[in-house]
Amino acid sequence: MINLNGIKRAALFTHIRPDGDALGSMNGLGLALKKKGIEVDCYCDSEVPALLSFLPNANNVLSGTLNGNYDVFISIDCADEYRLGKYKDAFLKHPNSINIDHHVTNTNYAKTNLIKNLSSSCELIFEVLKALQLEIDDEIALALYVGMVTDTGHFTQANTTSGSHIAAAELIKYNIDIEYISQKLFKEISKDKLMLIKDCITSMRFFSKDRISFIGIKSDMLKQYNLEINETEGIINYAINISGVLIGICLTESAKNAYKVSLRSKKGVNVAEVASIFGGGGHVQAAGFMVNGCFEDVIERIVKACEKVIDPL
Ligand SMILES: [Mn+2]
């Protein structure tokens, strides 16, 4: 377990393009450390998505240059050092760095690495708070609960364990509005996003006898509906949820000839393997990477790599 004795000032980091688990785990830990009297700054090299602005401490997350010196750097939910964005070099140089994460592909880039294969980083932070005897309050419970529901798909995905439910059961003892959270995160959708989904479905492609489905989101599609790249979350589910599809691919153009690629698979198909070919990582059934190239070439390369996982020689 990690040791925070003597720490007066801590900088916390989470990954670029943060999701509910990233912000929930960083802010949950940050608030708990603050309660203990530690001065905490939370950093993320991306803006907080509007959808997650209701998270405690969300409006205090910093994205500028580091605010002086810290006794410790702690990264949370960040599977590799590159996902720290512009904070990577400073993080790697810090003599007292801690890496807390639930991704099994984590590259152990810190001086101390606490990697545990749990449903979410929030579930891991819940364990950390217990082990360090740090107090939980309503805000911390909300932050951690949001991350748990995000990363387990509302406790429906294979990564959900009895331990996840036990942690969630502890968290909902606090005053948190679980109905509001599910409405915000799983039900409500903006008209613009729904229209983007319509276009994604219209242009969906199929490969390998309909076992691979592909959604491509070009930047002009985002522009048309005034959406940001971080607002495409969940669209990949339309690809993987189709009967008979084994791998769903969602490619989003992040800059000219640069793409963020997400992969999802059905049970028994390992897309982390595909992601690692392209220098990315993730979980067996949910992985991702960044890739450069011309649109059609990139699709061909990804589909080929996916086919190899479906039909190994
Ligand atoms: Mn996570």
Side-chain angles (χ1 to χ4, degrees), residues 86-254:
K86 68 180 168 202
Y87 303 115
K88 171 177 78 74
D89 293 343
F91 190 95
L92 294 178
K93 263 187 235 152
H94 200 284
N96 186 16
S97 58
I98 301 173
N99 166 17
I100 304 176
D101 187 30
H102 71 121
H103 298 95
V104 284
T105 56
N106 192 291
T107 56
N108 293 289
Y109 51 87
K111 301 288 184 286
T112 303
N113 300 283
L114 177 63
I115 313 304
K116 209 167 162 189
N117 187 13
L118 294 174
S119 70
S120 54
S121 288
C122 281
E123 188 179 339
L124 179 50
I125 293 296
F126 179 76
E127 283 190 3
V128 168
L129 297 190
K130 287 230 147 160
L132 297 178
Q133 294 181 303
L134 292 172
E135 204 191 311
I136 295 178
D137 60 17
D138 293 347
E139 286 198 317
I140 296 167
L142 170 61
L144 298 183
Y145 184 81
V146 164
M148 290 197 65
V149 297
T150 304
D151 268 25
T152 60
H154 240 163
F155 306 105
T156 61
Q157 284 161 207
N159 60 358
T160 311
T161 62
S162 117
S164 320
H165 279 287
I166 289 167
E170 287 292 322
L171 294 172
I172 63 176
K173 285 180 185 167
Y174 293 87
N175 185 23
I176 59 177
D177 189 342
I178 58 170
E179 189 182 352
Y180 175 82
I181 295 167
S182 82
Q183 173 67 22
K184 269 280 170 207
L185 297 180
F186 293 97
K187 296 175 185 166
E188 214 169 274
I189 186 165
S190 69
K191 184 182 169 195
D192 284 330
K193 180 154 178 184
L194 192 65
M195 292 303 112
L196 174 69
I197 291 170
K198 164 190 69 94
D199 291 355
C200 288
I201 291 172
T202 307
S203 59
M204 194 184 276
R205 300 192 207 176
F206 294 88
F207 300 92
S208 198
K209 297 178 194 137
D210 291 350
R211 294 176 303 169
I212 297 172
S213 57
F214 169 87
I215 290 173
I217 307 175
K218 290 190 173 171
S219 45
D220 58 341
M221 292 166 75
L222 291 174
K223 226 180 185 175
Q224 188 185 345
Y225 300 114
N226 209 7
L227 293 166
E228 301 289 331
I229 191 164
N230 60 23
E231 293 173 281
T232 60
E233 209 185 317
I235 293 182
I236 193 169
N237 293 329
Y238 291 93
I240 189 59
N241 284 342
I242 300 166
S243 310
V245 165
L246 299 179
I247 297 180
I249 305 166
C250 183
L251 179 148
T252 311
E253 191 176 20
S254 56

